[in-house]
Amino acid sequence: MRLPNGDEVTAPTPVWGLDIQCEKGTNLSYGPWADRQREQLFLFFFPPRLPNHEVPGEIRQVQQFDVRLNILAEATVDILFSKLIMRDGKQENQTNAVHMNVQRGSYFEMTLPWTVSDDGYVTKINGQFLHVDASSSLNYRNLLEAETLDYRVNVHYPRVWNHHQTWDLEFNGCKATYHFLYAHKEFFQDMIEDWSSRVPPDLLHFVPYSWNFIIRMQEFELITLANGYNWVDCEHQANAHIAFCGELFDLRFTLPFTDFLPETVLLKFIIVGENVDLSLFLPPTNTSSNIITALSRNARLIEKEDRPKHSFSSEKWRKFCKLSSGWVDCWHVPELQLSISYTYHPVPPVGPSPQANVSTPEKEELLLSPIRAPHRKKSPMEIIKNLTPEQFDPTSVTADCINVDLRITKPSEIKLYGSVLRMFINLK
């Protein structure tokens, strides 16, 4: 429709939606098992079309389905997953969880497109957690505290069912404190393994896709444990810490799943930080705790011209790493960039024997062996089966490669204590 002044007005497209209001006593639980049930429901109501999707030509067709969930009071969110463990000679499922407390005003939105454009369609998920307090089911429960945590997920599906898909995930936090210890590496790896598909790789149904991650924190604290021999005190919290605090933390990386059973996979991580401080904390039981604290408070710093030099600025946001609690700032960097490239050799999951473990040449050799001469050459699979663990030499395989590049573009200040070097070794 065209107005008398020449402006063209179009009617809004039809949109379906569902609004959910959560009052007091709300507890939301989700995890890999629930996601698999959702996948089965989607496959039933919206089965995938192997031919290319067709672009609709109707004008008044429903474009999308919107789901919005509002939290109107304090609520809890649990992410549950399981792990197979051995107990008394039997396999059992051990349930792990990430427990989060969120405040009123948090919300969740999801947009499911019901039409296909020329380049496919995009599923969008976004939301925000207010005053989130997250803990894990490990004995050391501290995980994450943040004033706000925004998340955004965009999944682009092409028109052709087996063409490349793109998953964009972005997380933005403000005034966040994250606790990291080595056990979290296996903890989240178990979550990913439980969430990922348990079906062996199949070339006929392989779909390439890439995950693009952006994690950005404004006013952050990254706290790590630096006890000797990876020891953690979960009862009295008498732990040594190394913390990275600053105004900006930006992490970007991509997980490429574009090749079917590749020999090597290259991962690149880019970390940018602004006004970052390296802080140190020694428990009172450490013999160097009083000495380092006294040096930090009473040392007189001078410049080259014998002029007094002020210590690091204390007008910064801190929630856990407070100087009044015994923390000591050791290094101040106005701006840094850390680049990490990791080339590793993936190990595909083991499937049913013998198809998933035997490549095509070896499979052909095994199938034709009965009609060939008796003095034939052993296949590589037979050689591997006859190899015992004691005979295997790890140096015979190609090693993974990690390249680390740290760039500090502006002048930085460092106060070097002997305990810092020792704790960095423990942290490594």
Side-chain angles (χ1 to χ4, degrees), residues 370-402:
I371 63 175
R372 295 196 174 172
H375 299 288
R376 64 179 179 86
K377 184 179 178 181
K378 288 186 177 180
S379 66
M381 292 304 301
E382 292 178 331
I383 297 176
I384 294 176
K385 289 181 180 178
N386 297 329
L387 188 64
T388 61
E390 292 77 12
Q391 297 173 339
F392 176 70
D393 183 12
T395 60
S396 61
V397 298
T398 306
D400 296 344
C401 181
I402 300 179

Side-chain angles (χ1 to χ4, degrees), residues 282-303:
L282 294 175
T285 55
N286 193 297
T287 56
S288 302
S289 175
N290 294 332
I291 299 175
I292 293 181
T293 303
L295 286 175
S296 176
R297 293 177 179 176
N298 304 315
R300 298 182 60 186
L301 306 179
I302 59 174
E303 297 180 352

Side-chain angles (χ1 to χ4, degrees), residues 59-341:
I59 299 179
R60 292 291 296 172
Q61 187 171 1
V62 176
Q63 299 292 318
Q64 62 192 33
F65 183 80
D66 295 335
V67 179
R68 182 178 178 90
L69 186 148
N70 294 315
I71 297 178
L72 305 181
E74 183 179 358
T76 61
V77 180
D78 294 327
I79 301 177
L80 307 174
F81 62 97
S82 60
K83 173 187 177 182
L84 283 176
I85 61 173
M86 294 297 297
R87 182 175 298 173
D88 298 333
K90 299 180 181 179
Q91 285 189 345
E92 296 182 1
N93 280 328
Q94 180 185 26
T95 302
N96 295 321
V98 175
H99 180 77
M100 293 185 291
N101 294 321
V102 297
Q103 300 297 325
R104 59 177 301 179
S106 304
Y107 68 92
F108 167 86
E109 293 180 346
M110 180 172 60
T111 300
L112 299 175
W114 282 31
T115 59
V116 180
S117 60
D118 294 333
D119 59 348
Y121 56 96
V122 179
T123 299
K124 300 179 180 180
I125 300 175
N126 61 83
Q128 184 184 64
F129 289 143
L130 297 180
H131 298 281
V132 57
D133 183 5
S135 60
S136 67
S137 57
L138 300 175
N139 292 332
Y140 187 89
R141 299 190 176 278
N142 296 340
L143 185 61
L144 172 67
E145 296 180 27
E147 187 174 283
T148 59
L149 180 61
D150 302 336
Y151 54 91
R152 184 177 298 106
V153 181
N154 292 335
V155 186
H156 177 260
Y157 297 95
R159 289 181 57 191
V160 183
W161 71 273
N162 61 351
H163 278 196
H164 182 262
Q165 300 178 6
T166 303
W167 295 57
D168 297 326
L169 297 90
E170 183 176 351
F171 301 91
N172 294 282
C174 181
K175 295 183 178 180
T177 301
Y178 180 73
H179 299 261
F180 178 77
L181 65 155
Y182 186 78
H184 287 163
K185 173 180 174 294
E186 297 182 356
F187 181 80
F188 288 106
Q189 182 65 30
D190 294 336
M191 177 190 294
I192 295 174
E193 290 180 356
D194 191 17
W195 215 302
S196 60
S197 176
R198 299 182 179 180
V199 180
D202 184 5
L203 182 58
L204 297 179
H205 299 86
F206 173 73
V207 177
Y209 60 95
S210 300
W211 287 22
N212 302 318
F213 284 86
I214 298 178
I215 301 176
R216 186 182 296 108
M217 298 291 178
Q218 300 281 350
E219 296 181 325
F220 70 95
E221 295 175 323
L222 175 59
I223 302 170
T224 63
L225 271 69
N227 298 326
Y229 307 103
N230 200 25
W231 170 78
V232 180
D233 184 2
C234 302
E235 183 177 357
H236 304 289
Q237 297 292 324
N239 300 299
H241 296 281
I242 287 182
F244 302 89
C245 311
E247 295 182 359
L248 175 63
F249 173 85
D250 189 284
L251 169 62
R252 300 169 185 262
F253 63 96
T254 299
L255 300 180
F257 303 97
T258 56
D259 297 328
F260 180 76
L261 297 181
E263 294 185 0
T264 59
V265 176
L266 175 60
L267 302 179
K268 293 184 178 180
F269 302 86
I270 304 296
I271 301 176
V272 176
E274 295 182 1
N275 293 327
V276 180
D277 295 331
L278 174 67
S279 298
L280 170 70
F281 176 81
L282 294 175
T285 55
N286 193 297
T287 56
S288 302
S289 175
N290 294 332
I291 299 175
I292 293 181
T293 303
L295 286 175
S296 176
R297 293 177 179 176
N298 304 315
R300 298 182 60 186
L301 306 179
I302 59 174
E303 297 180 352
K304 294 182 179 180
E305 295 80 7
D306 292 337
R307 292 180 300 180
K309 183 178 180 57
H310 298 286
S311 184
F312 300 154
S313 176
S314 59
E315 297 179 358
K316 304 172 184 177
W317 175 85
R318 297 285 179 88
K319 183 175 182 179
F320 190 86
C321 307
K322 296 182 179 180
L323 302 181
S324 59
S325 301
W327 286 81
V328 176
D329 287 345
C330 304
W331 194 359
H332 174 72
V333 180
E335 184 177 339
L336 66 86
Q337 179 175 343
L338 179 63
S339 302
I340 303 175
S341 62

